[in-house]
Amino acid sequence: METIAYPGGVTLLALLLYLLTMMNVGRNRIKNSIEAPATTGNIDFECAYRAQMNTLEHMVFFLPSMWLFAYTMSAEWACWIGLVWVAGRIQYAIGYITDPKKRAPGVIIGMIAQVTVFIGAAIGISKLLLG
């Protein structure tokens, strides 16, 4: 049962990252007088908004893949790969917010991690299905 804590901890970190990006969007919305529902009008706001939304878009793919990998392959490896994903997403968000041209390294790190857990999950599920 304690192995569930590994991907659980990564899930909490991913959610914390998302919460922080949400708060940054709200802060930028107020600072730059961008009234809802507008999502354009100031480059700083737009970068914060895209960093948040892109993180959400990737979480939808990453989190289920990581949990399936943890269940079918290894909870510990899911944790380590998940931590790489979180680190990549942090680098992505910081890069995007400071200069959109600096977002690529974080995207690449995150994509490698999420594709890894997806492929691992697909192998693990295949093994379960094939007996």
Side-chain angles (χ1 to χ4, degrees):
M1 187 64 165
E2 67 271 356
T3 58
I4 201 78
Y6 299 135
V10 171
T11 299
L12 289 175
L13 286 175
L15 292 171
L16 176 61
L17 171 62
Y18 184 67
L19 175 64
L20 294 173
T21 62
M22 275 193 318
M23 292 169 61
N24 191 44
V25 169
R27 185 182 65 75
N28 269 281
R29 187 177 287 281
I30 292 166
K31 176 182 170 187
N32 297 295
S33 301
I34 308 292
E35 293 192 29
T39 56
T40 61
N42 175 278
I43 190 69
D44 292 336
F45 170 77
E46 291 173 20
C47 288
Y49 178 74
R50 282 308 311 148
Q52 176 211 359
M53 294 310 296
N54 190 268
T55 297
L56 176 62
E57 293 159 5
H58 282 257
M59 283 177 66
V60 170
F61 182 85
F62 167 72
L63 287 175
S65 297
M66 182 195 64
W67 277 98
L68 289 169
F69 182 96
Y71 178 74
T72 61
M73 300 294 273
S74 168
E76 286 186 52
W77 275 102
C79 175
W80 288 114
I81 299 167
L83 290 172
V84 169
W85 184 87
V86 170
R89 295 310 303 178
I90 290 169
Q91 183 176 2
Y92 165 83
I94 291 170
Y96 206 145
I97 291 165
T98 58
D99 177 1
K101 294 176 185 167
K102 294 181 180 178
R103 71 188 192 276
V107 168
I108 293 166
I109 292 166
M111 285 297 292
I112 290 169
Q114 69 189 42
V115 168
T116 300
V117 291
F118 176 78
I119 291 170
I123 292 168
I125 294 294
S126 297
K127 285 181 178 180
L128 289 176
L129 289 172
L130 297 174

